[in-house]
Amino acid sequence: MKMSKFVLFVILFLLWLLLTWTFNYQDVTIGLILSLFIAILMGDIFTEHPGKFKDIKRYLWMIAYIPYFFWYCILANFDVAYRVLHPKMPIKPGIVKVKTNLKSDAGRTFLANSITLTPGTLSVDITDEGYLYVHWINVKTIDIEEASKEIVAKFEYFLKHIYE
Amino acid sequence: MNEIGMVLLIIGVAFDLLGCIGIVRLPDVYNRLQASTKSVTLGTWLILLGVFFISGGFTAMGIKALICIFFIVLASPTAAHALARGAHISGVKLWEKSVCDKYEEDKSK
């Protein structure tokens, strides 16, 4: 069995156990058969670098990233609340271009998702060269370098350790 | 447990309400997406966390609520990105007081 099929099998089986949460032998058998079947069919298109799943350090960085990300998410909500409830609506929107150094698809996906859920920014599109177009509700700078430092840098450090 | 869950539900609904006010008040589709994505994501997280506590912790229902939180983290920003990109490609203009639009400049190149 190939490595990527095995990784997919383990993830699917764990998800099945969490979803059923009974540990009755009938449920577990069905889950085992189904996840084996899906893993054999779909394993090749699941991931290109299955070796990354073995690295324990990536999981530790992931655990460190979750509270960091959650903190920015709460800040984003208070930012939105302030802008929405303020009578004059202090917004200054625009679409800026930022540069990311992440190379892997998964890393870029999570960067774009993190940008969307954090204060005042919403990712609109990404190019193959690593340029993101970000809608910013309060544009401070339109320079690529400075905007990258402001928006991308705080997540890039973590995501580089998790996905690269 | 039940009381913690109720408090979380109320806070979650309050954040969802803020998102709705944002949709009504903000000027264009991109700003509205900003408000709705952020507030509604956190609001739904808190509601699901409330469900987790009310259903009594690690039961079948509580675990499903926690898994839903994970999938919402993946799905909600992706949907917002798809809507924003689709709106821009089909020609929805930014608000007239917007500062800059690098995407439009690069598209017309």
Side-chain angles (χ1 to χ4, degrees):
Chain A
M1 198 181 215
K2 271 171 65 186
M3 189 67 196
S4 72
K5 287 183 182 176
F6 181 69
V7 171
L8 181 60
F9 168 72
V10 171
I11 292 173
L12 286 173
F13 189 55
L14 282 179
L15 194 62
W16 175 273
L17 287 183
L18 287 175
L19 278 175
T20 53
W21 201 252
T22 50
F23 303 113
N24 184 320
Y25 78 96
Q26 289 170 329
D27 288 337
V28 174
T29 319
I30 287 288
L32 209 63
I33 293 167
L34 278 180
S35 33
L36 202 66
F37 182 64
I38 296 171
I40 288 169
L41 277 183
M42 303 290 176
D44 293 330
I45 56 171
F46 175 60
T47 171
E48 286 170 3
H49 310 285
K52 285 181 181 175
F53 284 91
K54 278 189 293 190
D55 197 346
I56 196 85
K57 254 187 260 165
R58 294 177 195 275
Y59 296 101
L60 295 179
W61 277 103
M62 189 73 168
I63 291 167
Y65 180 61
I66 289 169
Y68 184 76
F69 169 72
F70 196 66
W71 170 242
Y72 273 105
C73 204
I74 293 171
L75 279 186
N77 276 279
F78 283 106
D79 185 64
V80 165
Y82 166 69
R83 288 182 202 287
V84 166
L85 295 177
H86 196 284
K88 283 181 186 152
M89 269 203 304
I91 60 173
K92 193 179 147 197
I95 292 181
V96 296
K97 193 177 176 182
V98 295
K99 170 110 182 74
T100 169
N101 297 318
L102 296 172
K103 295 280 182 292
S104 65
D105 285 348
R108 283 178 178 180
T109 309
F110 270 78
L111 180 71
N113 281 2
S114 306
I115 286 173
T116 300
L117 288 178
T118 48
T121 49
L122 172 80
S123 46
V124 177
D125 204 355
I126 188 167
T127 63
D128 290 335
E129 296 89 53
Y131 287 102
L132 280 154
Y133 297 97
V134 175
H135 183 267
W136 202 353
I137 206 166
N138 184 24
V139 177
K140 290 177 193 149
T141 168
I142 57 170
D143 182 60
I144 292 180
E145 292 293 319
E146 280 178 47
S148 303
K149 214 180 284 173
E150 191 86 20
I151 297 173
V152 175
K154 55 192 176 201
F155 303 114
E156 212 170 34
Y157 177 71
F158 278 85
L159 291 171
K160 201 169 68 196
H161 285 91
I162 300 174
Y163 293 104
E164 298 284 293
Chain B
M1 286 297 247
N2 211 357
E3 288 78 7
I4 301 172
M6 285 297 173
V7 170
L8 284 171
L9 276 181
I10 290 167
I11 302 172
V13 172
F15 274 116
D16 276 5
L17 181 69
L18 277 176
C20 296
I21 296 173
I23 290 178
V24 176
R25 283 204 72 196
L26 289 168
D28 69 355
V29 65
Y30 307 99
N31 289 312
R32 285 173 179 169
L33 271 176
Q34 292 248 9
S36 58
T37 316
K38 292 181 207 357
S39 304
V40 171
T41 307
L42 188 71
T44 315
W45 284 353
L46 292 172
I47 291 174
L48 284 169
L49 208 62
V51 170
F52 171 75
F53 279 112
I54 289 173
S55 70
F58 289 91
T59 59
M61 194 163 132
I63 294 286
K64 284 188 187 74
L66 288 186
I67 293 174
C68 282
I69 292 180
F70 173 70
F71 283 120
I72 282 173
V73 178
L74 292 181
S76 167
T78 315
H81 148 75
L83 284 170
R85 185 166 177 270
H88 206 286
I89 286 174
S90 57
V92 179
K93 292 274 172 291
L94 270 73
W95 188 36
E96 64 266 24
K97 285 182 197 158
S98 297
V99 187
C100 58
D101 190 352
K102 296 273 182 189
Y103 194 36
E104 188 66 47
E105 289 166 23
D106 285 8
K107 251 197 323 194
S108 51
K109 255 181 213 165

